[in-house]
Amino acid sequence: MIEGAPPGLILILGAVLVPLLRGRVRQAYMLVLPVLGFVQVAMLPVGFVYSVQMFNYELTLVRVDELSKVFAYVFYIASFLSVVFALHVKDTVQLVSGLIYAGAAVAALFVGDLISLFVFWELTAVASLFQIWARRTERSYRAGLRYLIIQVGSGVLLLAGTILHVADTGSLQFGVLGVVSTGTTLIFLAFGVKAGFPLLNGWLQDAYPEATVTGTVFLSAFTTKLAIYALARSFPGTEILVPIGALMAVLPILYAIVEDDFRRVLAYSLNNQLGFMVVGIGIGTEMSLNGTVAHAFICTIYTGLLFMCTGAVLYRTGTIKGSELGGLYKSMPLTATFCIIGAASISAFPLFCGFISKSLILASVAESHHTLTFLVLLCASAGVFLHSGIKVPYFTFFGHDSGIRCKEAPLNMLVAMGCAAFLCIAFGVAPDLLYSLLPYPVDFEPYTTSHVVNQLQLLLFAAAAFVFLQKTGLYPAELKSVNIDVDWLYRKALPTLVRGFGDRMIRVKVGIQTKVLEGVGFAVRYIEGHHAPTGVLGDPWSIGATALWAAVLLIAYLLMAHR
Amino acid sequence: MKEEVGQSSHWLDRPGSVKKLIRVLAILCLLVVAGDLVYEKHGHYSWENFPGSYAILGFSSCVAFVLGATLLRRILKRGEDYYD
C-alpha cells in the first residue's frame, strides 16, 4: 500500500504540517520533503502500476514509466530550489499552497486515467492561485481571479472531453489519444490552454508577473511543463502541433522585445520555449520527443533561475521594470552573474544546458524535413537571445545607471540561484547526465563542430545586431506602457461589449416602460372621456328621466309576458 | 558617497571599456565566420554549407524582430494604467 502511495502525495500531505512548525524546524522540514519525494521516485520501478476500483471505474493512481519519471525528477528539483529560494518567507499560505501545488503536479505525472488527471489538474490550478493572491494587492487579486477562471476552465474542458471520450470508447486511459473526436479535441484544447497555445496564452503573461517574488518561481516550473507532459503523452505526432509550436516560438518574442516588466518578458520567453517543445511533440519521432522532454527538463531549471534573479531584484529594489533599473551589477554582482548564466542557458550557448536540449529538437525538425519550421525555430533561437539573453541582464545590471544602490540578494536566494546556475552548467557540460534519463535511447552528439560553430554564429551575430540597433537608436527604448495582448479580449473587449449590451438593454427596458405607461395613460384618458362626470356615460340622470325609463321597461316587459 | 566613487571606478565604468567589449565581439564574430571555412560542412540543407549562413540568419532575424516589435508597439501600446 505504501508503495502505491502516489508520488507527490508526500508534498501534499507534508504541507499540512507546515503551519504547525516554526523557525528553523519548519525550514528544515520543507527542505526534506522534496528530497524524500525525489528518493521515492528514484526507487519506483518502471512498469509499476497501482489502481483502485471506484464505483464502476478503475482509477490508476500510479503508473510508472520513463516519461513520468524524468518529469518527476525535474519537478522535485524545482520544488527543492523554489523552497530554498522562499526559505525567508514567513507567510504560511504561500508555503503550504506552494508545496501542495508542486505535489499535485508530480501526482498528475503518475496517474494513468483521465479522471485522476482531472483531479490533480484542478488541484494545481487552485493551489497555484495563492502564489498570486499572496501578494495581497488589488491588482494581484484581479489577475488571480482571471487566472483561476482560465485554469479551472481548462479543467472543465478536460472533464467534458473525458466524458465524451468515455462515452465514445469506454476507455478512461490517459495514454495516446490523438485528435480524433470531439472528446479528444476538447482534451487537446484543455492541455493547450495550460501549454500556452497562441490565443489561449493570455493568462501566462497576465498572471505570472503579478505573483509574489517567490510565487513566480513556483509558478514557472509546474503548470506549463505539466501541460507539455500531457501533450507528449496523449498527442505525440499530432501534425497540427508543429505550426502551433512554431507560432508560439515566434509571436511572444515580439512582445518580449517591447515589454517593460522583466518578469513579463520572461513569461513571454517561457511561452517561446514551450513553442520548441510543442514542435517536438508534433513531429513525434523518438528523437523529437526526447528533445521535448530534455528541453522541458532544462527549461524548468533555467527559467526558474531567471525568475529567481528578477525576483531577487524585485525583492531588493521594489521594481522589476526595465525603465527604472540599470547598473545593478555594482550592488548585486552575484545575482548578475547567476542571471547571465541563466541568460546563456536560455539562449542555448554551447556549454550551457539549453544547447544540449534545443539542438536535439532542431536536429529532429531538420531530419523530418520541416524546412520552414526549422528556419522559424532558428530565428526564434536568435530572438530569444535578444530579449532574454541580452535585454534582461543588460538593462537590469548594466546599461544606464539607475542610481539604485541596494544590498545583494539574501543568502537563501543566492544559494538557490547558485544551485540552479550550477545545474545549468553541469547539464551543459555533461549532456549524458540528462540524455540517460530520457524516455528513448539517445543517439545524438550535441558537441560537433558544425553544431557549435553554427550556434555561435547565430548568437554572436544576434548580439552584433543588438549593438548595431542600440548604436543606431533603432532599439526600442524601455517605456512604461502596456502592450495589449490576447488578454485584452476578456479584460477590455468583452467587458465593453457586455457593458454596451447592458446599456442597450437598459435603454430598451426604459423604452418599453414608457410605451406601456403611455398606453395605460391613453386607456385611462379614453375611459375617463366616457365615464367621467363630464362624459356621455358618466353623466348623472335626473330622477324623473330614470323613473320614466324604468316605467317604459316595465311596460315593455309586461307586454312581452302577457302575449 | 566616497564608496560610490570607489564603486563607479569598476572596469565597466571606465571610458573606452564598452568600446573594447564591442571590439572583442567583432573579433569573435569574424572568428566564428572564419570557422566555417576551416572545416567541411555537411549541413542537412544545402544553404547551411554556405559560409556564414547562420551569421546572416542571426543578424537579419534579430533586426527583423526588433523592427517588427517596434511597429507592433505603435499599434498595441497603451498607457500604463490602461486596465486599471
Side-chain angles (χ1 to χ4, degrees), chain A residues 128-410:
Chain A
S128 59
L129 171 68
F130 293 94
Q131 301 299 320
I132 302 167
W133 273 357
R135 210 167 174 194
R136 299 185 169 84
T137 60
E138 173 69 20
R139 202 180 153 85
S140 65
Y141 171 70
R142 293 164 67 140
L145 271 186
R146 291 193 293 273
Y147 172 83
L148 181 66
I149 290 168
I150 291 173
Q151 295 292 309
V152 171
S154 155
V156 172
L157 280 176
L158 175 58
L159 186 62
T162 303
I163 292 168
L164 290 177
H165 178 65
V166 172
D168 280 350
T169 64
S171 161
L172 262 179
Q173 210 202 353
F174 173 34
V176 176
L177 298 171
V179 183
V180 290
S181 62
T182 319
T184 52
T185 307
L186 289 179
I187 297 175
F188 181 73
L189 286 175
F191 295 169
V193 169
K194 290 208 188 193
F197 282 6
L199 300 181
L200 305 177
N201 59 353
W203 62 273
L204 211 169
Q205 44 79 20
D206 176 22
Y208 281 14
E210 304 303 338
T212 61
V213 165
T214 55
T216 313
V217 178
F218 268 103
L219 288 171
S220 74
F222 305 111
T223 301
T224 52
K225 306 310 182 316
L226 177 59
I228 293 295
Y229 159 81
L231 281 171
R233 162 118 17 233
S234 294
F235 300 99
T238 304
E239 194 63 22
I240 185 80
L241 286 172
V242 177
I244 289 179
L247 277 177
M248 285 165 71
V250 170
L251 293 181
I253 293 178
L254 295 170
Y255 277 97
I257 289 172
V258 289
E259 177 59 51
D260 190 31
D261 183 320
F262 280 175
R263 293 204 298 171
R264 188 157 282 126
V265 171
L266 292 178
Y268 280 122
S269 306
L270 172 57
N271 205 173
N272 141 289
Q273 297 298 305
L274 296 168
F276 284 84
M277 300 170 211
V278 168
V279 168
I281 300 169
I283 287 171
T285 59
E286 289 195 353
M287 186 183 192
S288 75
L289 289 171
N290 267 344
T292 292
V293 176
H295 205 52
F297 189 103
I298 293 290
C299 175
T300 308
I301 297 172
Y302 62 65
T303 312
L305 171 57
L306 287 168
F307 273 117
M308 285 182 206
C309 297
T310 46
V313 170
L314 175 63
Y315 181 73
R316 280 304 192 213
T317 66
T319 179
I320 193 58
K321 296 208 161 152
S323 53
E324 295 167 0
L325 292 168
L328 278 180
Y329 75 93
K330 294 166 201 168
S331 307
M332 306 178 83
L334 289 172
T335 308
T337 310
F338 296 139
C339 186
I340 290 170
I341 293 174
S345 303
I346 195 173
S347 314
F349 260 98
L351 298 182
F352 292 90
C353 59
F355 180 71
I356 65 153
S357 53
K358 203 185 262 180
S359 53
L360 202 50
I361 296 181
L362 284 172
S364 70
V365 174
E367 270 181 23
S368 60
H369 309 294
H370 288 80
T371 311
L372 183 62
T373 309
F374 182 66
L375 276 171
V376 166
L377 292 189
L378 282 182
C379 293
S381 304
V384 75
F385 178 46
L386 194 65
H387 65 77
S388 281
I390 303 179
K391 172 177 163 157
V392 170
Y394 178 76
F395 288 107
T396 309
F397 299 105
F398 308 98
H400 158 78
D401 191 347
S402 59
I404 297 175
R405 295 291 177 269
C406 58
K407 281 203 273 183
E408 179 57 276

Side-chain angles (χ1 to χ4, degrees), chain A residues 253-255 257-258 321 329-330 366-367 369 371 374-375 378-379 382 386 398 405 450 453-454 456-458 460-462 465 469 471 476-477 479-484 488 491-492, chain B residues 4 7 10 12-13 22 25 28-29 32-33 36 39 41 44-45 47-48 52-55 57-59 61-63 65-66 68-70 72-73 76-80 82-84:
Chain A
I253 293 178
L254 295 170
Y255 277 97
I257 289 172
V258 289
K321 296 208 161 152
Y329 75 93
K330 294 166 201 168
E367 270 181 23
H369 309 294
T371 311
F374 182 66
L375 276 171
L378 282 182
C379 293
L386 194 65
F398 308 98
R405 295 291 177 269
S450 66
V453 172
N454 288 345
L456 283 178
Q457 277 190 16
L458 196 72
L460 289 173
F461 275 82
L469 293 163
K471 290 285 171 195
L479 293 180
K480 287 181 197 292
S481 65
V482 165
N483 299 302
I484 52 179
W488 175 83
R491 292 176 73 180
K492 210 72 179 186
Chain B
E4 268 185 33
Q7 278 182 346
H10 191 283
L12 266 175
D13 286 331
I22 293 177
L25 176 66
L28 286 176
C29 283
V32 286
V33 175
D36 261 359
Y39 74 105
K41 293 187 99 175
H44 189 83
Y45 299 103
W47 59 262
E48 284 188 274
S53 46
Y54 275 79
L57 195 69
F59 191 88
S61 63
C62 281
V63 172
F65 271 128
V66 167
T70 315
L72 189 78
R73 172 145 92 176
L76 300 178
K77 200 182 108 183
R78 298 291 185 276
E80 209 179 3
Y82 177 68
Y83 285 121
D84 299 333

Side-chain angles (χ1 to χ4, degrees), chain B residues 8-51:
Chain B
S8 67
S9 68
H10 191 283
W11 179 79
L12 266 175
D13 286 331
R14 268 179 246 152
S17 293
V18 174
K19 254 191 192 151
K20 263 183 216 160
L21 273 180
I22 293 177
R23 218 167 288 159
V24 170
L25 176 66
I27 293 168
L28 286 176
C29 283
L30 283 177
L31 278 178
V32 286
V33 175
D36 261 359
L37 306 170
V38 181
Y39 74 105
E40 204 176 327
K41 293 187 99 175
H42 299 288
H44 189 83
Y45 299 103
S46 53
W47 59 262
E48 284 188 274
N49 298 332
F50 184 76

